[in-house]
């Protein structure tokens, strides 16, 4: 069977890259290694980003050696669609990878290559791995079909002598389930956001999240120590980030900043001003083209990312994000953000914030807490908003005055010009980027099958916990209190 045009092109590119290596290995050896350190579900809750009551010495050390980008946002608030955009430098909505773990994966559009393919074609050894001492396969989680295996191996030690590498180190933490916090006083010291109940369950859950961030930091330390021991630090461009924001209500799977804001730390030989901070607006789709440019590789022509290390880069005017089906919760939400305002469009305003989500029901104790307190009429308005049966079609927030996105200004007469500007920009992006969100993912039978699958998973998990799948919210909350090691009255 003759090779496809795309595969033939890659074969030719590989031959050219091999010839280049053979004729000028000394020059090739000078190219930097590139390392991505990706922490699952990591928001900016680390020490060097100003979060108190968390100890992250390894990430703080990396900050002191590089640049921390305080305004970095993912294109999606869930892993598979965010990672699909990350490795292609294209919005997941542009390449049909926007539904979380779709059962209808397609090949990438013509002319689109992954960052792994581009580094591999240029002669790099490409690998994905877990931190030292952590077993199992590294996470990939892409919503597209690849022509070939995207990686050459699972460790850069497998490369040829002197061959530069492009590596992704995948760290599970702080993804749920969280580790149990060992600090008995931390929960009481925390300042909680106003959109959640100030309750021992919320405090314990947040403390466990920070403890999980600290566990992730220990893995970062092991990676940095290995680079130092192997003499690789000086010639390795390191980018550390989360695949999206933190896994809490209003966070993961939502387009509020909690769901898409992630730290970005860049360190290595291209950084002339270590220990500095940048407030430039950046997107995770900028990571791949930036690294390719650093290695003197031209990104594929269709990339939608930009080089944030370019001398003339001053920050994006806007970043865009999208949320589509997650689990059994079918949805379509789009957002645009500049340095001050956030505009969100809910394409299905008739649906509640709390659509059925087996993942969240099984993993988020605060979801159950909200149900109980809402039934008792004890929720403050900021938190009660989550329990509304419908959503506004449009949301607008002035982030300078309202960083927690509590006060929707979409109907405020004083902000109509801003609303129109942000609405127009989002419309243009939807059109020019080829947003495929309006295309139905599958027929009703397809969605019914996903719902049945998730329901079965939910029921089996609850039975393993010794709970009736139809447990009441009050009884379920008592189970969560025990899990969180809280005394019950």
């Amino acid at each position: 069977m003759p090779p496809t045009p795309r595969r033939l092109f890659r074969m030719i590119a590989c031959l050219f890259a091999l010839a280049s290596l053979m004729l000028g290995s000394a020059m090739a050896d000078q190219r930097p290694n590139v390392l991505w350190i990706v922490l699952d579900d990591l928001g900016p809750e680390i020490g060097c980003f100003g979060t108190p009551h968390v100890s992250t010495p390894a990430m703080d050390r990396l900050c002191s050696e590089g640049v921390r980008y305080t305004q970095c946002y993912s294109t999606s608030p869930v892993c598979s669609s965010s990672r699909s955009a990350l490795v292609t430098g294209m919005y997941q909505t542009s390449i049909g990878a926007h539904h979380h773990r779709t059962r209808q994966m397609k090949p990438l559009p013509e002319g689109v290559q992954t960052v792994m393919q581009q580094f591999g074609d240029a002669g790099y050894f490409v690998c994905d791995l877990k931190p030292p001492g952590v077993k199992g396969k590294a996470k990939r989680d892409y919503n597209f079909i690849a022509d070939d295996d995207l990686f050459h191996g699972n460790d850069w030690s497998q490369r040829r002598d002197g061959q530069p590498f492009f590596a992704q180190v995948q760290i599970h933490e702080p993804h749920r389930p969280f580790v149990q916090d060992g600090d008995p006083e931390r929960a009481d010291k925390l300042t909680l956001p106003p959109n959640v109940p100030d309750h021992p369950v919320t405090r314990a859950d947040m403390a466990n999240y920070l403890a999980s961030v600290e566990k992730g930091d220990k893995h970062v330390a092991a990676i940095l120590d290995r680079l130092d021991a192997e003499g690789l630090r000086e010639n390795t461009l390191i980018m550390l980030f989360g695949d999206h924001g933190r896994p809490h209500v209003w966070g993961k799977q939502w387009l509020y900043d909690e769901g898409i804001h992630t730290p970005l730390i860049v360190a290595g030989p291209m950084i002339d001003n270590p220990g500095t901070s940048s407030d430039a607006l950046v997107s995770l789709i900028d990571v791949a083209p930036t690294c390719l440019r650093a290695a003197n590789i031209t990104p594929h022509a269709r990339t939608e990312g930009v080089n944030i290390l370019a001398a003339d880069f001053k920050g994006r005017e806007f970043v865009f994000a999208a949320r589509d089906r997650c689990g059994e919760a079918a949805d379509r939400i789009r957002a645009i953000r500049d340095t001050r305002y956030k505009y969100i469009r809910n394409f299905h305003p008739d649906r509640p914030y709390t659509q059925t989500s087996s993942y969240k029901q099984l993993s988020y104790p605060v979801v159950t807490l909200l149900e109980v307190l809402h039934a008792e009429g004890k929720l403050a308005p900021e938190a009660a908003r989550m329990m509304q049966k419908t959503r506004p079609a449009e949301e607008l927030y002035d982030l300078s005055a309202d960083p927690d996105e509590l006060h929707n200004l979409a109907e405020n007469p004083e902000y109509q010009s801003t609303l129109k500007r942000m609405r127009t920009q989002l419309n243009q992006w939807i059109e020019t980027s080829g947003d495929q969100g309006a295309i139905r993912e599958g027929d009703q039978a397809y969605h019914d099958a996903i719902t049945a699958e998730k329901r079965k998973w939910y029921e089996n998990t609850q039975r393993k916990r010794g709970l009736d799948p139809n447990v009441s919210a009050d009884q379920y909350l008592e189970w969560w209190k025990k899990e969180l090691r809280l005394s019950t009255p």
Side-chain angles (χ1 to χ4, degrees), residues 168-289:
Q168 298 183 40
V169 176
Q170 310 290 349
I171 298 176
H172 173 76
E173 288 79 19
H175 195 289
R176 291 176 185 269
F178 297 150
V179 299
Q180 189 73 32
D181 183 27
D183 182 352
E185 298 180 355
R186 173 159 37 194
D188 292 334
K189 297 176 181 178
L190 298 177
T191 299
L192 298 176
N195 55 13
V196 293
D198 189 344
H199 187 279
V201 166
T202 315
R203 290 185 168 277
D205 190 50
M206 183 62 75
N208 288 350
Y209 166 69
L210 295 179
S212 300
V213 172
E214 291 176 345
K215 183 177 180 181
D217 187 74
K218 290 181 171 60
H219 292 312
V220 174
I223 297 160
L224 299 181
D225 289 346
R226 179 183 172 187
L227 290 172
D228 287 334
E230 297 180 9
L232 297 171
R233 279 294 295 279
E234 290 187 2
N235 195 40
T236 300
L237 175 64
I238 302 172
M239 289 205 169
L240 180 148
F241 50 90
D243 57 354
H244 52 75
R246 67 190 189 191
H248 293 278
V249 293
W250 301 108
K252 183 176 181 178
Q253 298 191 10
W254 295 109
L255 296 184
Y256 304 102
D257 276 7
E258 286 189 49
I260 59 176
H261 191 191
T262 177
L264 173 63
I265 305 172
V266 183
M270 289 76 184
I271 302 303
D272 297 324
N273 50 346
T276 59
S277 175
S278 172
D279 294 330
L281 200 59
V282 299
S283 170
L284 283 187
I285 63 166
D286 300 329
V287 170

Side-chain angles (χ1 to χ4, degrees), residues 46-50 56-70 217 220 224 233 238 240 263-268 271 273-277:
I46 57 180
C48 60
F49 276 66
T56 52
M59 287 186 270
D60 296 350
R61 166 191 167 193
L62 197 62
C63 270
S64 70
E65 298 170 355
V67 177
R68 63 185 180 101
Y69 289 84
T70 63
D217 187 74
V220 174
L224 299 181
R233 279 294 295 279
I238 302 172
L240 180 148
L264 173 63
I265 305 172
V266 183
I271 302 303
N273 50 346
T276 59
S277 175

Side-chain angles (χ1 to χ4, degrees), residues 283-482:
S283 170
L284 283 187
I285 63 166
D286 300 329
V287 170
T290 297
C291 292
L292 289 165
R293 291 291 185 186
N296 202 26
I297 302 169
T298 301
H300 68 78
R302 296 186 60 181
T303 185
E304 294 167 303
V306 298
N307 180 8
I308 67 172
L309 296 182
D312 59 350
F313 178 74
K314 304 301 181 183
R316 285 174 166 268
E317 183 179 6
F318 303 105
V319 292
F320 300 92
R323 180 256 160 95
D324 293 270
R325 182 189 56 75
C326 293
E328 64 267 60
D331 215 330
R332 187 187 181 199
I333 314 172
R334 299 292 181 265
I336 176 175
R337 190 195 196 283
D338 63 15
T339 56
R340 179 172 177 178
Y341 294 102
K342 163 83 74 64
Y343 170 75
I344 297 174
R345 181 177 301 164
N346 294 299
F347 284 82
H348 302 289
D350 57 309
R351 299 175 187 177
Y353 287 102
T354 53
Q355 285 194 78
T356 299
S357 170
S358 296
Y359 163 72
K360 287 187 175 180
Q361 200 67 41
L362 290 171
S363 306
Y364 287 45
V366 177
V367 168
T368 304
L369 176 65
L370 286 168
E371 293 176 359
V372 171
L373 295 183
H374 177 66
E376 295 174 351
K378 295 180 179 179
L379 283 179
E382 295 85 354
R385 187 166 59 120
M386 175 64 76
M387 308 307 294
Q388 294 175 356
K389 294 182 179 180
T390 60
R391 294 171 279 173
E394 295 181 300
E395 301 176 54
L396 178 69
Y397 301 99
D398 181 348
L399 300 169
S400 63
D402 179 25
D404 295 303
E405 298 167 275
L406 301 175
H407 307 292
N408 183 9
L409 304 172
E411 296 184 1
N412 188 320
E414 296 180 13
Y415 290 86
Q416 290 309 296
S417 61
T418 300
L419 177 68
K420 183 178 179 180
R421 177 175 65 89
M422 301 295 276
R423 179 196 293 146
T424 300
Q425 292 292 335
L426 182 66
N427 288 341
Q428 291 177 357
W429 174 76
I430 288 173
E431 181 178 354
T432 58
S433 68
D435 185 345
Q436 299 179 33
I439 303 172
R440 186 175 171 84
E441 183 185 13
D443 59 17
Q444 190 59 48
Y446 173 87
H447 287 274
D448 289 345
I450 292 177
T451 299
E453 172 194 311
K454 295 300 179 182
R455 179 63 189 178
K456 183 177 180 181
W457 170 52
Y458 172 83
E459 291 176 350
N460 289 341
T461 302
Q462 292 293 57
R463 291 190 181 102
K464 289 178 182 178
R465 292 172 169 179
L467 295 172
D468 187 315
N470 297 311
V471 61
S472 70
D474 292 298
Q475 292 173 323
Y476 195 18
L477 183 60
E478 292 305 310
W479 182 89
W480 275 120
K481 288 179 181 178
K482 293 178 182 178

Side-chain angles (χ1 to χ4, degrees), residues 124-191:
Y124 273 67
F125 182 81
V126 179
C127 60
D128 68 332
L129 61 154
K130 285 191 170 185
V134 179
K135 298 180 180 180
K137 292 184 178 180
K139 185 172 184 176
R140 298 185 182 181
D141 221 358
Y142 309 130
N143 287 332
F144 55 80
I145 300 171
D147 280 352
D148 302 299
D149 191 353
L150 296 172
F151 298 91
H152 300 148
N154 59 12
D155 196 279
W156 63 69
S157 63
Q158 299 165 328
R159 73 193 192 282
R160 299 190 312 272
D161 288 343
Q163 183 183 12
F165 64 79
F166 168 70
Q168 298 183 40
V169 176
Q170 310 290 349
I171 298 176
H172 173 76
E173 288 79 19
H175 195 289
R176 291 176 185 269
F178 297 150
V179 299
Q180 189 73 32
D181 183 27
D183 182 352
E185 298 180 355
R186 173 159 37 194
D188 292 334
K189 297 176 181 178
L190 298 177
T191 299

